[in-house]
Amino acid sequence: MSIIATIMNTSTGQPIQKLKFERMPKPWVTFHLTTGEQVTADRVHVGKPAPGKFIAPVEVWVTPKD
């Protein structure tokens, strides 16, 4: 089962993009954004699922260079 995570910008607090991972991302994961920039996760936040749902929202916080 793949994980769809929202990539968040730590400096602005705004979402950058959505990205699909094959398994739960580790806090030190390194990946490329759609812009081609390579980033390393600052932290991974797993939220609480909505009532009646079992899928928890996942946020990966990164600090892009631009």
Side-chain angles (χ1 to χ4, degrees):
M1 185 167 120
S2 59
I3 305 293
I4 298 175
T6 304
I7 310 303
M8 303 289 288
N9 189 336
T10 55
S11 56
T12 63
Q14 298 294 319
I16 299 173
Q17 71 182 44
K18 292 220 181 250
L19 192 62
K20 182 189 270 187
F21 292 95
E22 293 302 317
R23 55 176 55 191
M24 184 61 79
K26 302 290 184 190
W28 55 84
V29 67
T30 301
F31 55 92
H32 290 278
L33 297 174
T34 54
T35 60
E37 181 180 357
Q38 182 177 354
V39 293
T40 302
D42 295 332
R43 64 185 166 121
V44 176
H45 180 262
V46 180
K48 197 174 194 180
K53 304 286 182 178
F54 66 94
I55 298 175
V58 178
E59 296 175 343
V60 179
W61 291 79
V62 299
T63 305
K65 301 225 183 329
D66 50 5

